[in-house]
Amino acid sequence: MGIDGAGQSGRFTRGGSSQLPRRTSSSHLPPRYPGQTRHKRQPEHQGKLVLLFFILIIGSCTIIIQHRLFLPIDSKTSDPHLHRKHLRAEQQDLQEQFTSHKLSALDSSYTQSAIHNATAKLQATVKDIKRQQGKEQQISQIAANNDIQLVDASSVPDPPVTQNPTQAPSPNLFSLDQLNINNSAGAFHFQHKLDPTEDFSATGLDKKRRLVKEAAAHSWKAYEEHAWGMDELQPITQDGKESLGGIGATIVDSPDTLWLMGLKDDFSRAREWVSTSLKCNSSRRISLFETNIRVVGGLIGAFELTEDHMFLDKAVECVNLMLPVFQTSWTGIPNNQVTLKSTGKKPRLHGSLVSLAEYGSFGVEFYALSQRTGNASYAEAAETIYRWLNERFPGQGLLPTRLNRNRGTFTNMKTYTMGAMADSYYEYLLKMWLLKGQKDDMYRSMWESSMDEMMTKLMNVSVGGLLYIGLIQQNTMFMPRLEHLTCYLPGNLALGVVYGAVNGSKADHYMAVAKNLTYSCWQMYERMPVGRILHTTP
């Protein structure tokens, strides 16, 4: 979508001689010359004034956000340690949203419309920060009502960091060499054993299945009662939330699970809603990424299990609306925040910055849809992105999280992570290789390179002996933090080993890492008193 500039400012001159008498006082005007017409002098650089106004807005909002993020909150209204430890990841995301909104406005030639939109987004970001503090108050109250002792983090120091991730970690962490972690040798063995008393008999497994099914039925019942038709259930306030654009994400993402668990009555109600109420051509802003993985993926999964073509037809309907967004940049990379239309008009695009997970997670759903419909355009749209990345950044495994899709460049301050804003990109590389019959080695090679670099640059071991995957911020600063969203990696690594994506000693090493990381992720749940996981520092 093109955005007009701020307008041209014309230069007005008086006719006749350029030697005009100076004004000597406010009550005297210079004499007119024959044929001269007086014009009101216009500003020559209106764009500069608009830019100055925009900078003042950004500066003010920056001060507000810095104050809300980094000054301690009132201990009478919330636990400052809980606030600091558990909201760090969410606050980082809000800061990156703030930066994204600034850059999006800068790309819009400083029009009045762009300034208005940027200001509204920045104000919304400030409200989000305040909302996070409100969540902490709710959690503290629930803990008090249920006599739960929250962990006091005041005595826990911030984790040390290394400025260069290629160097050895700081002294109070075990170095990788001490544990024989080596990408080329299978000398790294599983450090932890499963509980020998765990019941994996047929009776024990049946009990586990029953408990899982009861938990799913309980959650689904609460969703039906308090948030039916909305994107998400908020269990504390017992209401719904339209966090993904009002696409009924929970309903559309659940039929395959309900079917597998034998909850057929619940499945039937979900199917009816999808058939009559699911509309992808809403005028509301949606996340293209979330719509793909939840709606399109959910519909294809339901069709695969039930062979009910209603699900497949709905998936085609939604993807046909999404396809034009892939054609709005020379890179083939779509905007994430869009407003889809079915009126023949182009979709409305919002911003130019996209995260690695957002633009790198279309392959599985789009390729599967092409397989089931015979329409190759879906797979081509997704594969264009992967091939562009492979050609533009050959041999580079880890990629930064933020990209300007119009320029084809990453942001200056780069973050490398296997978690939030990147996770499903790496997951999909291996799955695309499998979906294509293990014949397109580009995907396997990109996956292997990323896993090797992850183990070299992001993997470490905590003082307590837990293997974890950290992240790199600000280009070079290693952060020893295991995110909840990184816990897909054990399954991804094991899947690659089982299907022969790597072999020999490297396969042994990958599997050992997968086992150890599984244990660390389980410990992340096991050690949390209220089960509320955002991230934990090993």
Side-chain angles (χ1 to χ4, degrees):
M1 178 182 68
I3 299 180
D4 296 333
Q8 297 180 348
S9 56
R11 180 182 298 274
F12 294 88
T13 59
R14 292 180 173 86
S17 171
S18 61
Q19 302 294 327
L20 296 178
R22 295 184 178 179
R23 178 184 294 183
T24 57
S25 69
S26 59
S27 61
H28 294 84
L29 296 175
R32 293 188 180 183
Y33 293 88
Q36 178 185 3
T37 302
R38 189 186 307 280
H39 296 274
K40 182 178 180 181
R41 188 172 180 80
Q42 301 291 328
E44 298 182 1
H45 302 288
Q46 292 179 344
K48 291 183 178 179
L49 296 177
V50 175
L51 173 60
L52 178 60
F53 174 70
F54 177 73
I55 291 174
L56 291 174
I57 294 175
I58 296 297
S60 301
C61 292
T62 301
I63 293 173
I64 294 173
I65 288 182
Q66 287 178 341
H67 175 78
R68 300 301 296 178
L69 286 180
F70 301 114
L71 290 182
I73 58 177
D74 188 351
S75 60
K76 295 181 180 179
T77 59
S78 181
D79 185 339
H81 306 303
L82 186 66
H83 176 81
R84 180 167 178 256
K85 289 293 181 181
H86 290 299
L87 288 187
R88 186 177 295 170
E90 292 185 11
Q91 290 171 344
Q92 178 187 341
D93 289 343
L94 291 172
Q95 286 179 281
E96 292 184 353
Q97 290 176 23
F98 176 79
T99 302
S100 173
H101 299 335
K102 285 198 301 184
L103 293 177
S104 297
L106 290 173
D107 287 341
S108 302
S109 305
Y110 308 110
T111 63
Q112 292 289 345
S113 175
I115 292 174
H116 174 77
N117 292 337
T119 303
K121 291 175 181 178
L122 293 175
Q123 291 173 345
T125 301
V126 175
K127 291 181 180 178
D128 286 341
I129 295 171
K130 293 180 179 179
R131 191 177 300 114
Q132 295 302 328
Q133 294 176 346
K135 290 181 181 179
E136 291 307 321
Q137 295 177 26
Q138 290 179 323
I139 291 172
S140 298
Q141 185 63 47
I142 291 172
N145 293 341
N146 293 274
D147 196 25
I148 297 174
Q149 181 64 41
L150 294 176
V151 176
D152 184 359
S154 59
S155 60
V156 180
D158 285 337
V161 297
T162 53
Q163 295 300 321
N164 189 339
T166 62
Q167 298 177 353
S170 52
N172 67 336
L173 297 178
F174 293 126
S175 71
L176 305 186
D177 293 337
Q178 288 176 296
L179 291 179
N180 290 322
I181 295 180
N182 188 308
N183 283 344
S184 61
F188 178 43
H189 301 293
F190 188 37
Q191 304 291 318
H192 305 281
K193 302 298 182 183
L194 295 175
D195 184 354
T197 64
E198 188 77 13
D199 186 3
F200 287 103
S201 66
T203 303
L205 291 176
D206 286 341
K207 179 181 179 181
K208 294 177 188 296
R209 293 189 184 100
R210 177 176 56 78
L211 292 174
V212 171
K213 182 175 178 179
E214 288 176 358
H218 171 79
S219 299
W220 181 258
K221 180 180 178 181
Y223 172 76
E224 280 196 293
E225 290 180 358
H226 303 293
W228 183 252
M230 304 187 76
D231 290 331
E232 292 180 293
L233 168 69
Q234 299 188 113
I236 294 178
T237 56
Q238 296 186 353
D239 58 10
K241 182 179 181 182
E242 298 286 34
S243 56
L244 302 174
I247 54 177
T250 294
I251 299 179
V252 189
D253 205 10
S254 298
D256 52 354
T257 301
L258 297 172
W259 180 272
L260 285 170
M261 289 187 170
L263 301 173
K264 298 302 173 64
D265 291 340
D266 297 322
F267 169 84
S268 297
R269 290 192 295 274
R271 184 203 179 280
E272 180 65 19
W273 190 94
V274 171
S275 175
T276 60
S277 302
L278 174 61
K279 306 294 181 184
C280 287
N281 61 347
S282 170
S283 60
R284 302 176 66 173
R285 181 186 298 193
I286 65 167
S287 164
L288 211 65
F289 161 71
E290 296 286 357
T291 302
N292 178 59
I293 65 172
R294 295 174 184 266
V295 175
V296 179
L299 292 170
I300 295 175
F303 169 74
E304 194 71 13
L305 290 172
T306 66
E307 298 184 352
D308 184 341
H309 277 267
M310 183 278 295
F311 291 111
L312 186 63
D313 293 342
K314 284 288 185 179
V316 170
E317 176 186 322
C318 291
V319 175
N320 283 342
L321 291 169
M322 297 163 67
L323 276 183
V325 188
F326 290 77
Q327 303 167 1
T328 57
S329 171
W330 63 277
T331 61
I333 294 175
N335 278 71
N336 182 53
Q337 295 293 322
V338 300
T339 302
L340 300 177
K341 300 282 186 180
S342 63
T343 59
K345 298 180 181 179
K346 292 183 178 179
R348 291 183 59 191
L349 312 178
H350 309 279
S352 58
L353 290 182
V354 287
S355 74
L356 182 59
E358 288 171 347
Y359 67 80
S361 304
F362 291 96
V364 171
E365 292 81 4
F366 278 36
Y367 191 83
L369 191 61
S370 286
Q371 285 181 318
R372 285 149 183 78
T373 62
N375 187 342
S377 62
Y378 308 133
E380 290 172 358
E383 289 202 86
T384 295
I385 298 172
Y386 297 110
R387 300 198 182 283
W388 180 84
L389 289 171
N390 188 52
E391 293 172 2
R392 190 168 180 84
F393 309 103
Q396 182 174 341
L398 295 180
L399 296 177
T401 55
R402 290 287 188 181
L403 177 86
N404 186 308
R405 74 182 199 100
N406 294 328
R407 299 171 184 166
T409 57
F410 295 110
T411 55
N412 291 331
M413 298 305 292
K414 298 177 178 60
T415 296
Y416 299 88
T417 178
M418 306 301 290
M421 298 192 295
D423 47 2
S424 49
Y425 162 74
Y426 299 110
E427 175 190 354
Y428 276 35
L429 291 176
L430 177 64
K431 291 182 177 180
M432 282 298 293
W433 177 67
L434 294 172
L435 270 178
K436 300 190 74 173
Q438 305 176 26
K439 296 179 181 179
D440 193 337
D441 198 62
M442 177 193 75
Y443 291 103
R444 190 208 61 80
S445 178
M446 291 172 70
W447 177 78
E448 182 182 7
S449 296
S450 61
M451 295 300 108
D452 285 347
E453 288 189 23
M454 177 265 292
M455 295 179 193
T456 300
K457 299 179 180 179
L458 302 182
M459 189 167 72
N460 212 328
V461 179
S462 73
V463 174
L466 295 176
L467 184 79
Y468 69 94
I469 307 299
L471 65 155
I472 295 173
Q473 292 180 333
Q474 299 178 14
N475 300 328
T476 60
M477 186 169 64
F478 178 74
M479 300 296 292
R481 186 179 76 202
L482 175 62
E483 295 183 12
H484 164 71
L485 288 176
T486 308
C487 288
Y488 72 94
L489 270 172
N492 193 244
L493 289 167
L495 188 66
V497 172
V498 169
Y499 282 92
V502 290
N503 298 285
S505 61
K506 178 176 281 192
D508 295 337
H509 178 71
Y510 273 34
M511 188 61 79
V513 170
K515 291 178 178 179
N516 277 270
L517 190 56
T518 299
Y519 182 82
S520 298
C521 289
W522 171 68
Q523 282 292 313
M524 188 162 60
Y525 285 93
E526 179 72 9
R527 298 183 183 186
M528 294 296 288
V530 294
R532 179 177 180 268
I533 308 297
L534 286 177
H535 69 269
T536 186
T537 301

